[in-house]
Amino acid sequence: MLDDFMVRAALAGLGLVMATGALGSFVVWRRMAYFGDSTSHAAILGVALSFAFAFPLYLGTLAVAVGMALLVAWLTGRGQSMDTVLGVLAHSALAVGLVAVSFVPGLRVDLDAFLFGDILAVGKDDLVWIWGGAALVLALLIWRWQRLIAATVNEELAMASGIDPKFERLILSLALAVVVAIAIRIVGALLISAMLIVPAAAARGFSRTPEQMVGFATLAGIISVLGGLWGSLRLDTPAGPSIVVVAAMIYALSLVTYRR
């Protein structure tokens, strides 16, 4: 029988996958991978602030991630290039976060856990945050599904239908912020984007509808989590990176087996 910590780790990973399957598909469709990287890098600053002011970890990282999303939306709305804004903010936020960490006693030793994840240390309280955040993201995407799809396929046609593409982009940015906040304990700031992008990229070639791609991406994520935890247990490897390695293997397999 599995130990309690492995059961909690599996539940945490599956909770994350419930959100990344759908959201990751939009990230791939809209080419928002760099935005995911930028938001996850900024999460390190949220970790430092959480420890410095004794906030709950998820609350601090969520606040910084949401702030990042709103700042990007504001700067791009003022005519700044998206790539430039993301490049400046991603590296600046990561640098500020690492500097802030040096001023927080006791956090330096634990920094690897937030960079690469520590899913095996997830507790019952963490599961509440993870599943609650995943449910919030899913509810948000289901609520805006048709509008998000329309804005993704063709922004001009969406505008003609009365849909504001900028608002839908902001919805996705806020959903990404929530996922970053709940994923930092599972796969870490440096691997969050991989869990958003890789399963969705693997599912893309086998899907004919958006709903199929979400389903296949979720399935690929579930296999990645369970396979990565199994490999971590058997081979004594880091759990977070092991999950991403399995996801990468699924993507490689999809390239070999799929024929256009």
Side-chain angles (χ1 to χ4, degrees), residues 4 7 53 60 142 149 166 177 191-192 200 215 232-233 243 245 256:
D4 287 344
V7 173
F53 295 101
I142 291 171
I149 291 293
K166 291 183 178 179
L191 301 175
I192 291 172
S232 174
L233 183 65
I243 291 171
V245 166
V256 173

Side-chain angles (χ1 to χ4, degrees), residues 28-96:
V28 170
W29 292 329
R30 299 181 68 96
R31 298 182 176 135
M32 294 177 67
Y34 199 15
F35 184 90
D37 275 333
S38 303
T39 309
S40 59
H41 289 170
I44 293 298
L45 177 58
V47 171
L49 293 177
S50 297
F51 276 82
F53 295 101
F55 292 153
L57 173 66
Y58 298 105
L59 187 59
T61 52
L62 177 60
V64 171
V66 169
M68 178 77 166
L70 295 176
L71 183 58
V72 169
W74 180 70
L75 289 174
T76 53
R78 293 174 62 87
Q80 296 291 317
S81 167
M82 174 70 81
D83 287 346
T84 301
V85 168
L86 291 177
V88 170
L89 292 182
H91 296 97
S92 300
L94 180 59
V96 172

Side-chain angles (χ1 to χ4, degrees), residues 6 8 14 40 52 61 65 77 80 86 100 132 209 220 259:
M6 286 298 294
R8 290 195 299 270
L14 294 177
S40 59
T61 52
Q80 296 291 317
L86 291 177
T209 66
R259 295 290 184 273

Side-chain angles (χ1 to χ4, degrees), residues 104-122:
V104 182
L107 183 55
R108 268 181 156 180
V109 178
D110 299 324
L111 187 57
D112 283 353
F114 298 109
L115 290 174
F116 301 105
D118 192 10
I119 190 173
L120 299 181
V122 167

